[in-house]
Amino acid sequence: MKRTVGCAALCVLAGALLASDDVVELVDGLGDVLIRRTDTGADGALGVGAVMPDLLRVTISGWEADDPLNDPYTGRVGDPKSSDLFRLDVVLAGHVNPVGTVGLGGLAYDPFRFGPSPVIGFVELDMDDDEDTGGQLEGAAELRFLANVARFGGLPESSDAERAALSGAGPGGCGDWDLNFWTEPFYERSGEDFSLVLCGCHEVTVVSKSGGDQDDLFEPGETWIVRSRYFQRAAGYQDASSVFGGSDFGLYDPEVNLRFVSDPVSDTTTITLVEALTMAGAAQLTGEPEQPIDSEIGPFSHHSVEEAIQDLIDNANGLSGEVRVLTERWDDKDREDALDVSDWRVNALFGTVYASPKDGLYAWTDVGFKVRRCDVNGDEFVDGLDPTAFDSFLASNDGSSCDADGQVNGVFTVAGPGPNFTLFDLNGDGVVDGADRLVFCRGDLTGSSSPGDPSYGVPDGDVDGDDYFFYLDQFSSGNLARADLTGSSDPLDSDYGLPNLIIDSEDFFFYLDLFVQGCP
């Protein structure tokens, strides 16, 4: 498979955490889209002309709206520890549109209802900063961050790396997805308490439209507000809950509004959720008197994070099995601690849909945050130990019972590509071989420094003067997708190797480090 992006673009940290006192901001690099299909054979067609979702930024803050009933999106950042509302913004490169339904739950397969570039995504929120509370069960867990992050050729930072699936649904026990909550890796136990969910799983209502031609397609320059079950408490909590009024008993998934804004000037799409942290915030958004915490989230009952968390605390005792593992630690918690948005931990997974439902459900395109692509040993560094780990994997698995080609030939072939994958298939072509090892050569950007040469911008497995001058071209032209490499040039800085959507001298000196390192 021909690689069309340089190794440095493949082997950078996928996101950075930039936190102020009042706003949590997480940044992901521009142009780091890697299409990772999930259909059998990994060859299903995607939407014709679709823009592949490229995550750039997620921001979360407490929020004070000027007119929460009629326009909750205009206001100011509030105290993250005491606000009644919170605001979550997701910024994606290019123009993408809301997704229609994808054929689940008896609904029609109509994902392109609002345009040719539907965005699928999950922004997972660990509200109590406790990885041992919350998550998903069985098949639902296989659609989330920890089950799919390794498709992108790297592992997340912190203990998430220990729980990430390194492979998928391989035949004959050759994958980590086994629908068994009790076996490692524990990707089901993600710590997710709530998520922004763009899955096409529920009917969507268009609430309002502004800008553009007001037709049924979301187009550049338009602002829409759409309504569905976009804000969901983790489904792993369902059997520990007495909530009713959602899509099923025990599911805290109220209907909420999302605003989509397509800006042709910045060539971005921003998705915004303003939701109630407290019951007082719920009253603000509805223009009604404040309601007490109860167990109902139907059309006539308010909903809030506060209410959902209290439900968990009240029901944490007396449970058994998987739900006890996900819930029992809530017994000793104070719900107020979960309402401080500045402490929320965030993971994100984005993608799109297939042209036909016979191919698959979702194809993933981007992941965030704090994911070091090419960190295959999970030590939070990309260094000489990673190609060593790669070599060890290939030596141990080439010709094994899980190698689909069945031969000791220097190539490990993924069995059942699409549903299955492996962390070490760094270029995503379904095999682990020498082409993947070249991805560790992060300073290799091009085969020629001449823009007119066919090999310009195509890595050639060597780091030389052509790569240096190619990077200078990208740096001087302000090409974020190729020149934004880091937030710091100091190898000891936590921002080293973190794209930050800014091109400056730090990026230049970082590339010099890559150039000097050469190929391992």
Side-chain angles (χ1 to χ4, degrees), residues 363-433:
W364 306 118
T365 60
D366 203 0
V367 67
F369 295 91
K370 299 185 290 181
V371 179
R372 295 186 181 273
R373 292 187 178 135
C374 299
D375 175 17
V376 295
N377 66 353
D379 65 357
E380 302 184 13
F381 295 93
V382 179
D383 54 25
L385 296 178
D386 294 292
T388 298
F390 175 92
D391 293 341
S392 177
F393 170 85
L394 189 56
S396 300
N397 290 275
D398 182 19
S400 70
S401 60
C402 291
D403 183 356
D405 67 29
Q407 302 178 47
V408 179
N409 56 0
V411 176
F412 174 83
T413 302
V414 176
N420 193 20
F421 60 89
T422 175
L423 166 68
F424 297 91
D425 178 15
L426 298 178
N427 63 8
D429 64 357
V431 298
V432 179
D433 60 10

Side-chain angles (χ1 to χ4, degrees), residues 61 208 500:
S61 69
S208 67
N500 61 352

Side-chain angles (χ1 to χ4, degrees), residues 70-335:
N70 298 301
D71 179 15
Y73 309 103
T74 300
R76 66 204 59 81
V77 170
D79 186 334
K81 301 181 184 299
S82 61
S83 292
D84 293 311
L85 304 174
F86 78 92
R87 175 173 176 145
L88 186 155
D89 289 279
V90 178
V91 182
L92 299 127
H95 173 79
V96 296
N97 53 262
V99 64
T101 52
V102 298
L104 299 176
L107 299 175
Y109 192 78
D110 191 20
F112 304 102
R113 172 185 169 191
F114 304 115
S117 301
V119 55
I120 292 293
F122 300 93
V123 180
E124 301 176 7
L125 306 173
D126 179 357
M127 293 177 170
D128 61 346
D129 194 23
D130 186 343
E131 63 186 11
D132 291 319
T133 60
Q136 300 287 334
L137 300 177
E138 298 183 342
E142 296 174 357
L143 298 176
R144 297 307 183 99
F145 173 82
L146 285 182
N148 290 281
V149 60
R151 291 183 185 272
F152 294 85
L155 293 173
E157 288 188 2
S158 75
S159 57
D160 278 348
E162 299 174 0
R163 299 187 179 188
L166 305 186
S167 54
C174 292
D176 285 340
W177 293 3
D178 59 5
L179 300 179
N180 189 336
F181 180 85
W182 304 104
T183 58
E184 294 183 352
F186 298 125
Y187 59 87
E188 300 93 341
R189 310 181 197 187
S190 63
E192 170 205 349
D193 299 309
F194 261 93
S195 285
L196 175 67
V197 176
L198 310 172
C199 65
C201 307
H202 303 282
E203 290 284 9
V204 178
T205 301
V206 179
V207 176
S208 67
K209 306 174 185 176
S210 61
D213 56 14
Q214 304 290 299
D215 64 8
D216 293 332
L217 297 179
F218 180 69
E219 295 167 324
E222 295 186 349
T223 296
W224 281 21
I225 296 175
V226 292
R227 187 172 182 82
S228 189
R229 299 188 187 278
Y230 291 123
F231 187 52
Q232 301 181 11
R233 191 176 63 183
Y237 288 138
Q238 181 175 6
D239 289 343
S241 176
S242 58
V243 166
F244 62 94
S247 62
D248 196 3
F249 187 82
L251 292 180
Y252 204 100
D253 56 356
E255 292 192 347
V256 301
N257 290 346
L258 277 189
R259 185 180 71 172
F260 278 70
V261 178
S262 177
D263 181 4
V265 176
S266 62
D267 193 26
T268 59
T269 303
T270 302
I271 303 168
T272 303
L273 170 73
V274 174
E275 255 305 300
L277 281 169
T278 67
M279 299 307 288
Q284 293 176 27
L285 292 174
T286 59
E288 299 172 355
E290 183 176 338
Q291 297 180 4
I293 289 175
D294 59 22
S295 296
E296 183 181 357
I297 58 169
F300 303 107
S301 183
H302 294 176
H303 57 267
S304 69
V305 173
E306 176 185 40
E307 182 177 73
I309 296 302
Q310 187 61 51
D311 173 64
L312 295 176
I313 294 172
D314 291 343
N315 291 283
N317 286 314
L319 304 169
S320 62
E322 295 98 330
V323 69
R324 179 178 180 86
V325 173
L326 298 181
T327 312
E328 61 182 343
R329 288 169 62 91
W330 279 109
D331 185 46
D332 298 323
K333 294 182 184 293
D334 183 339
R335 73 174 186 239

